């Protein structure tokens, strides 16, 4: 099945923060590439320690605050074209969790959350199909694709989690902790291609997306089963400058911030309720205990 994208777009986005002001012409459309097998590539498979990621998008910006759920000082805004090159082959067998925070900023074309083969017709990939066609699509090499009709292009932060679980042969998509779709899994090994990109694809679109805490972990972690961290791909996205995203394997990840004690409030916390007047959201028991905070830049 081919993802729909046929027009040519030009981006002239006034992203001047941190000194990134770039105008670029972007040719959209799918390019089907045959990827090299990991054994024929110069890239290592699951190296230890893994390298940092390289921002390949021609238009990107570091934001002054992260998602309220993480409490991070920064987040990364970048165009779908280019994404982030992880610099190695990520391989898993039997279990995988992909977990990140995502917010649509601007643009009505495809926005890839990851893409394995720089392709709109093959490979392991996930994307939203444009503002006019709400919904999220996950293309699976090992089972039936998932295309739930959910609207996440509303300008709000959303937690997106995909869990591949060999113990029950399922692939499950969660959004904001709720199960949205489920497919199968045959237990096969998957290895990313040379052209794999996180947060986009090499020849993508001008759509601008915000990301915070982007993690791939070779284990199955469903919501409620603990924090998601990884020794292989853990971008906290709290770097705040430069064109490299630090891969911080093994960082302890705190629980999402539901509320903050009045004494602990700081810059960027304006949208998070105080724990003594916390808004009920229909989940949990309404506890008023202060939430644990995420690592800040000066705590590294």
């Amino acid at each position: 099945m081919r993802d729909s994208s046929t027009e040519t777009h030009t981006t002239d986005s006034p992203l001047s923060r941190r000194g990134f002001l770039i105008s670029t012409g972007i040719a959209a459309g799918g390019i089907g590439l045959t990827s090299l097998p990991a054994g024929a590539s110069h890239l290592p498979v699951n190296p230890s320690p893994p390298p940092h990621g390289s921002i390949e998008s021609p238009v990107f910006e570091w934001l002054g605050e992260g998602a309220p759920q993480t409490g991070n000082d920064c987040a990364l805004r970048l165009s779908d074209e280019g994404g982030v090159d992880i610099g190695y082959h990520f391989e898993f067998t039997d279990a995988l969790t992909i977990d990140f925070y995502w917010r649509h900023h601007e643009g009505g074309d495809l926005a890839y959350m990851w893409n394995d083969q720089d392709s709109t017709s093959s490979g392991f990939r996930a994307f939203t199909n444009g503002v006019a066609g709400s919904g999220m699509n996950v293309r699976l090499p090992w089972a039936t694709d998932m295309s739930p009709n959910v609207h996440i292009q509303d300008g709000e932060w959303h937690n997106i989690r995909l869990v591949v679980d060999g113990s029950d042969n399922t692939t499950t998509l969660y959004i904001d902790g709720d199960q949205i779709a489920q497919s199968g899994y045959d237990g096969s090994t998957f290895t990313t291609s040379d052209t794999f990109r996180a947060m986009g694809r090499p020849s993508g679109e001008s759509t601008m997306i915000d990301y915070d805490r982007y993690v791939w972990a070779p284990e199955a972690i469903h919501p409620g089963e603990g924090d998601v961290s990884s020794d292989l791909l853990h971008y906290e996205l709290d770097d705040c400058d430069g064109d490299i995203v630090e891969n911080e394997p093994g960082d302890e990840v705190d629980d999402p911030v539901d509320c903050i004690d009045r004494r602990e409030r700081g810059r960027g916390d304006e949208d998070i309720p105080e724990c003594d007047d916390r808004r009920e959201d229909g989940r949990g028991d309404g506890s008023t205990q202060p939430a644990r905070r995420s690592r800040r830049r000066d705590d590294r």
Side-chain angles (χ1 to χ4, degrees):
M1 180 174 181
R2 184 178 176 81
D3 311 336
S4 58
S5 177
T6 57
E7 298 180 1
T8 299
H9 303 273
T10 300
T11 299
D12 190 2
S13 181
L15 299 183
S16 57
R17 202 174 186 283
R18 306 281 184 186
F20 296 103
L21 177 59
I22 304 173
S23 176
T24 180
I26 298 176
I31 302 176
L33 299 180
T34 301
S35 62
L36 292 173
S41 171
H42 66 283
L43 297 175
V45 176
N46 292 356
S48 181
H52 296 318
S54 172
I55 301 174
E56 300 298 321
S57 295
V59 182
F60 69 96
E61 177 186 15
W62 288 101
L63 304 178
E65 62 180 355
Q69 300 95 319
T70 70
N72 280 340
D73 287 335
C74 304
L76 178 61
R77 173 175 295 166
L78 74 170
S79 68
D80 174 65
E81 182 194 26
V84 172
D85 186 353
I86 69 173
Y88 66 98
H89 292 291
F90 188 104
E91 181 176 275
F92 76 91
T93 301
D94 196 55
L96 171 70
T97 297
I98 302 173
D99 186 82
F100 55 92
Y101 292 86
W102 186 97
R103 180 175 65 179
H104 177 265
H105 175 62
E106 67 180 13
D109 297 303
L110 298 179
Y112 279 89
M113 300 159 179
W114 68 88
N115 187 297
D116 178 50
Q117 297 179 1
D118 191 21
S119 174
T120 61
S121 59
S122 62
F124 182 32
R125 59 203 191 281
F127 61 98
T128 55
N129 207 21
V131 173
S134 63
M136 178 176 170
N137 301 270
V138 184
R139 307 300 193 213
L140 302 174
W142 51 78
T144 303
D145 295 343
M146 295 184 289
S147 299
N149 185 23
V150 293
H151 183 50
I152 57 174
Q153 297 175 117
D154 54 3
E156 302 295 330
W157 281 106
H158 296 282
N159 177 233
I160 298 174
R161 184 179 300 194
L162 185 80
V163 181
V164 180
D165 193 338
S167 65
D168 55 12
N169 301 112
T170 59
T171 302
T172 308
L173 176 64
Y174 300 92
I175 296 180
D176 297 327
D178 296 328
Q179 180 175 320
I180 300 300
Q182 189 171 74
S183 186
Y185 172 57
D186 60 8
S188 60
T189 296
F190 176 81
T191 307
T192 58
S193 69
D194 278 11
T195 51
F196 174 82
R197 292 291 186 273
M199 298 174 259
R201 70 183 183 98
S203 49
E205 307 282 357
S206 58
T207 309
M208 300 296 295
I209 302 296
D210 301 339
Y211 286 93
D212 196 359
R213 188 181 292 151
Y214 190 99
V215 182
W216 281 44
E219 55 183 318
I221 308 172
H222 297 268
E225 294 182 351
D227 301 329
V228 180
S229 62
S230 176
D231 290 330
L232 278 175
L233 198 160
H234 188 130
Y235 299 149
E236 193 64 22
L237 298 179
D238 203 19
D239 308 278
C240 295
D241 57 34
D243 59 1
I244 298 296
V245 291
E246 295 184 8
N247 198 348
E248 303 173 307
D251 268 13
E252 180 179 349
V253 177
D254 292 333
D255 294 334
V257 178
D258 292 326
C259 64
I260 300 177
D261 187 90
R262 181 181 294 107
R263 295 167 297 179
E264 298 180 1
R265 299 182 73 82
R267 181 174 62 87
D269 295 335
E270 292 82 0
D271 296 333
I272 305 176
E274 294 180 0
C275 292
D276 56 359
D277 63 352
R278 176 180 173 181
R279 296 187 298 267
E280 296 294 335
D281 63 0
R283 299 192 188 100
D285 59 5
S287 171
T288 59
Q289 292 299 314
R292 292 181 293 160
R293 297 304 307 277
S294 221
R295 173 194 50 75
R296 313 298 285 191
R297 285 182 57 81
D298 53 6
D299 292 334
R300 288 178 182 167

